[in-house]
């Protein structure tokens, strides 16, 4: 939902619920603004390489005849406005990422509590403690703003389960890649071990500003 639509509906971005798609749309808008800024700077460059601050009058105080004054003034005005727009969009991106991280942390806590209750109700708590799940891979880099980062995945998290892939059926990273490709835009349950604690994450593979659908580098663990 755009800022304009949010104002019209009378709700805040937090109330309407920020999604990964919202952040992707903001990033797309940011890139559009950056392209427009570059285009206007190209206009200035075409006018004798004039910049944002060079005078538009000659040494005698008359309007310069060697440049298109209207084009220069228009390009300068556009750049100032677009830079303000860029600053506003970057602020929206930061706020949206903050809200999404906060919501994911709350959901992670709820999921952990629910998983614990289910384990106790089925008498599995003790057996899980005695036979902890073995991790088969880990993430050694996470790109900021990526789907993996938004889901809460951290560097050195040990992956126990990624969708249908687990320790028992994991053979190579192609197993994970296949699941990710078939889960684009769909929530993927990921279980990780972090400093001895087990965490349940909800990862949504999606197109974003960087490469791939996750924005992280996963390597197999050597046991």
């Amino acid at each position: 939902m755009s800022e304009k639509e949010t104002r019209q509906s009378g709700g805040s971005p937090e109330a309407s619920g920020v999604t990964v798609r919202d952040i992707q749309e903001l990033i797309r808008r940011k890139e559009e603004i950056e392209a427009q800024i570059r285009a206007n700077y190209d206009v200035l460059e075409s006018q004798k390489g004039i910049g944002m601050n060079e005078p538009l009058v000659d040494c005698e105080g008359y309007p310069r005849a060697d440049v298109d004054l209207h084009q220069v003034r228009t390009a300068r005005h556009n750049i100032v406005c677009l830079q303000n727009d860029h600053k506003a969009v970057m602020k929206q991106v930061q706020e949206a990422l903050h809200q999404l991280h906060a919501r994911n942390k709350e959901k992670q806590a709820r999921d952990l509590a629910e998983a614990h209750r289910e384990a106790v109700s089925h008498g599995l708590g003790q057996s899980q403690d005695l036979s902890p799940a073995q991790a088969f891979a880990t993430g050694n880099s996470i790109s900021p703003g990526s789907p993996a980062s938004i889901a809460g995945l951290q560097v050195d998290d040990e992956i126990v389960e990624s969708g249908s892939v687990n320790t028992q059926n994991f053979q190579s990273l192609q197993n994970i890649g296949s699941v990710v490709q078939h889960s684009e835009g769909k929530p993927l349950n990921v279980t990780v071990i972090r400093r001895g604690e087990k965490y349940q994450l909800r990862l949504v593979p999606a197109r974003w500003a960087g490469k791939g659908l996750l924005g992280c580098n996963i390597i197999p663990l050597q046991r």
Side-chain angles (χ1 to χ4, degrees):
M1 179 180 290
S2 68
E3 183 181 13
K4 180 179 179 182
E5 290 171 329
T6 301
R7 289 198 301 267
Q8 288 175 342
S9 65
S12 66
E14 185 171 7
S16 59
V18 176
T19 65
V20 174
R21 189 176 296 275
D22 293 329
I23 295 174
Q24 291 172 337
E25 177 61 25
L26 286 172
I27 292 174
R28 184 191 65 78
R29 173 60 181 151
K30 175 187 77 74
E31 292 173 345
E32 286 181 355
I33 293 173
E34 291 170 348
Q36 292 173 27
I37 291 174
R38 289 193 297 270
N40 279 278
Y41 269 114
D42 288 342
V43 171
L44 296 182
E45 185 64 27
S46 70
Q47 296 295 318
K48 306 291 185 181
I50 197 168
M52 291 291 290
N53 301 311
E54 285 77 7
L56 299 182
V57 295
D58 59 24
C59 58
E60 297 180 355
Y62 292 102
R64 290 176 58 170
D66 59 333
V67 297
D68 187 326
L69 296 179
H70 176 71
Q71 265 198 341
V72 172
R73 290 192 180 103
T74 299
R76 285 179 172 181
H77 173 75
N78 289 343
I79 288 171
V80 171
C81 293
L82 287 165
Q83 286 175 337
N84 289 334
D85 291 343
H86 187 270
K87 183 178 179 180
V89 169
M90 288 304 298
K91 183 178 179 182
Q92 286 181 288
V93 170
Q94 292 173 355
E95 290 176 349
L97 285 172
H98 176 75
Q99 291 176 18
L100 200 58
H101 276 299
R103 195 168 71 240
N104 283 341
K105 285 182 179 178
E106 292 175 0
K107 187 179 186 307
Q108 178 179 309
R110 291 196 300 269
D111 289 347
L112 283 173
E114 180 64 25
H116 178 71
R117 285 194 295 269
E118 289 182 2
V120 172
S121 66
H122 289 84
L124 299 177
Q126 185 177 2
S127 62
Q128 286 182 343
D129 289 337
L130 294 174
S131 302
Q134 294 295 312
F136 57 85
T138 185
N140 64 356
S141 69
I142 311 292
S143 299
S146 66
S149 174
I150 292 170
L153 192 67
Q154 297 182 10
V155 172
D156 294 332
D157 278 355
E158 295 188 348
I159 302 172
V160 174
E161 184 177 15
S162 179
S164 59
V165 181
N166 54 44
T167 307
Q168 283 69 38
N169 59 23
F170 174 77
Q171 296 179 336
S172 70
L173 294 179
Q174 290 182 349
N175 300 139
I176 298 178
S178 177
V179 170
V180 169
Q181 290 293 331
H182 287 87
S183 302
E184 182 176 356
K186 304 173 185 176
L188 197 63
N189 291 323
V190 178
T191 304
V192 301
I193 296 176
R194 181 183 305 157
R195 294 184 291 276
E197 297 287 337
K198 185 182 291 187
Y199 292 85
Q200 297 283 344
L201 307 180
R202 195 172 180 84
L203 175 58
V204 181
R207 306 285 176 183
W208 63 294
K211 294 181 179 179
L213 298 177
L214 299 182
C216 66
N217 188 52
I218 297 175
I219 58 175
L221 282 176
Q222 302 297 328
R223 295 295 186 184

